[in-house]
Amino acid sequence: EDKNNDKDNEDKDNDKDNEDKNNDKDDEDKNNNKDDEDKNNDKDEDKNNDKENEDKNNDKDNEDKNDEKDNEDKNNDKDNEDKNNDKDNEDKNNDKDNEDKNNDKDNEDKNNDKDEDK
């Protein structure tokens, strides 16, 4: 009977050891799963950060392009304004030339009249 009791107690101890080992294994698995989940979450966060940075860079690129376009438009406006001013000045000079020619003609006519009076 003592032997049987000893055997029973040994079996109980072994069962307890096995249960403890299984619990340890379960805990380790849970921790590993948690680590994997954390790693995946970190990876997702990195992807989101990459996406945000890419979006920011695209926004910056578009802003730069718009600034370049604005500057190009301003330069074109300035060129056109300069051309218009040149044209205006040319027209004024032509008007002045024509006025001078007309004055010359008037003076010539007056001189001719004066000559005729003599």
Side-chain angles (χ1 to χ4, degrees), residues 96-115:
K96 181 74 174 90
D97 283 349
N98 284 331
E99 188 181 329
D100 287 349
K101 281 183 190 167
N102 283 334
N103 282 339
D104 285 349
K105 181 75 173 89
D106 282 350
N107 283 332
E108 187 181 326
D109 286 349
K110 281 184 190 167
N111 281 335
N112 281 340
D113 286 349
K114 183 128 172 53
D115 281 348

Side-chain angles (χ1 to χ4, degrees), residues 13 24-25 28 36 44 47-48 65 75 78-79 82 89 96 100 105 108 118:
D13 280 348
D24 284 350
K25 181 72 176 98
E28 188 180 330
D36 284 346
D44 283 347
K47 279 186 191 168
N48 282 336
K65 280 185 191 166
N75 282 336
K78 182 75 177 86
D79 283 349
D82 287 348
N89 283 332
K96 181 74 174 90
D100 287 349
K105 181 75 173 89
E108 187 181 326
K118 282 184 184 172

Side-chain angles (χ1 to χ4, degrees), residues 70-85:
D70 283 347
N71 282 333
E72 188 180 325
D73 287 348
K74 281 183 191 167
N75 282 336
N76 283 339
D77 286 349
K78 182 75 177 86
D79 283 349
N80 284 332
E81 188 180 330
D82 287 348
K83 281 183 190 167
N84 283 335
N85 282 339

